[in-house]
């Protein structure tokens, strides 16, 4: 698995991650959502440099054709509810011709801190032969990402698989290496070293879904 880690070259992503982590800033849910969107926009732009392109003649008002390059990849943008929605919107703002897929994945606690990840909802176009970008802002254990990918395989086999996260734990990166196809790509804003006993990323930023949309009832 090839890993693209934005933290290796400081950029605007670093600033947005800092604001999303900061307890003095993240309480502004509008700002938090917008930072997720802006991170998605930058991810999409950087990923676009790796796509295939086709030369296309475009007629200008001067009656002359200009040779332009248009994305040849057929992109499906897949997102895990609920924290993934603003991250998804950032991608979609730039990859506006992408098709869209949505997966519901949640932790079902069985005993104390023990849980299993459950998939309850899937809406997706065919992904056969397409470029699948599967995004979730927080990649804690990696299980939700893998299960979402397995669920989407019922809609075909993609030509390229890209996973995207704003923050991932080292454990999740290792998990994806062992459970996803070998040629999977992971694009991540930063990789954090640990998980706490509740399987939250440390230092992380807390619950991204709650910060974006308010706390949920357990």
């Amino acid at each position: 698995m090839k890993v693209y880690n934005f933290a290796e070259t400081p950029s605007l992503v670093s600033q947005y991650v800092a604001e999303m982590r900061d307890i003095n800033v993240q309480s502004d849910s509008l700002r938090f959502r917008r930072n997720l969107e802006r991170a998605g926009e930058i991810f999409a732009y950087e990923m676009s440099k790796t796509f295939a392109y086709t030369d296309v003649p475009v007629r200008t008002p001067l009656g002359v054709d200009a040779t332009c390059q248009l994305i040849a990849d057929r992109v499906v943008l897949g997102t895990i509810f609920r924290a993934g929605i603003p991250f998804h919107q950032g991608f979609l703002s730039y990859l506006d011709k992408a098709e869209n897929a949505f997966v519901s994945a949640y932790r079902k606690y069985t005993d104390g801190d023990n849980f299993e990840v459950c998939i309850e909802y899937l809406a997706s176009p065919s992904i056969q032969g397409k470029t699948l970008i599967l995004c979730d802002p927080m990649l804690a254990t990696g299980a939700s990402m893998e299960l979402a990918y397995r669920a989407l395989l019922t809609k075909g086999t993609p030509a390229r698989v890209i996973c995207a996260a704003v923050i991932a734990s080292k454990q999740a990166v290792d998990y994806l290496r062992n459970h996803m196809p070998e040629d999977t790509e992971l694009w991540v804003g930063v990789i954090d070293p640990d998980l706490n006993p509740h399987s939250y990323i440390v230092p992380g930023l807390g619950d991204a879904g709650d910060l974006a949309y308010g706390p949920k009832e357990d």
Side-chain angles (χ1 to χ4, degrees), residues 12-22 166-167 189-190 205:
L12 280 172
V13 172
S14 306
Q15 178 172 321
Y16 300 153
V17 170
E19 293 182 1
M20 283 187 275
R21 290 191 195 269
D22 191 336
V166 175
I167 301 178
V190 64
L205 53 74

Side-chain angles (χ1 to χ4, degrees), residues 6-144:
F6 281 89
E8 293 177 353
T9 305
S11 68
L12 280 172
V13 172
S14 306
Q15 178 172 321
Y16 300 153
V17 170
E19 293 182 1
M20 283 187 275
R21 290 191 195 269
D22 191 336
I23 60 173
N24 297 308
V25 179
Q26 65 175 211
S27 58
D28 182 344
S29 59
L30 177 60
R31 179 71 167 268
F32 188 84
R33 291 194 302 272
R34 184 64 187 115
N35 279 337
L36 283 177
E37 289 179 13
R38 293 195 291 184
E41 290 166 357
I42 294 173
F43 275 51
Y45 172 73
E46 293 297 329
M47 282 180 193
S48 74
K49 298 176 183 178
T50 71
F51 293 163
Y53 286 79
T54 301
D55 288 344
V56 176
V58 174
R59 180 58 56 94
T60 76
L62 298 180
V64 179
D65 286 346
T67 300
C68 299
Q69 291 75 43
L70 300 183
I71 294 174
D73 289 52
R74 295 176 297 160
V75 177
V76 176
L77 178 59
T79 294
I80 300 174
F81 288 148
R82 66 179 167 145
I85 296 173
F87 195 36
H88 177 106
Q89 186 57 49
F91 276 88
L92 194 59
S93 292
Y94 279 27
L95 304 176
D96 51 284
K97 296 186 183 299
E99 297 178 278
N100 296 271
F102 299 95
V103 182
S104 169
Y106 72 98
R107 295 180 178 188
K108 182 178 181 181
Y109 286 88
T110 56
D111 180 28
D113 291 328
N114 298 317
F115 63 87
E116 59 183 9
V117 178
C118 298
I119 302 289
E120 282 197 345
Y121 174 82
L122 171 66
S124 174
S126 169
I127 63 172
Q128 184 66 36
K130 299 176 183 177
T131 296
L132 173 65
I133 302 173
L134 188 55
C135 59
D136 191 1
M138 304 298 287
L139 196 60
T141 67
S144 294

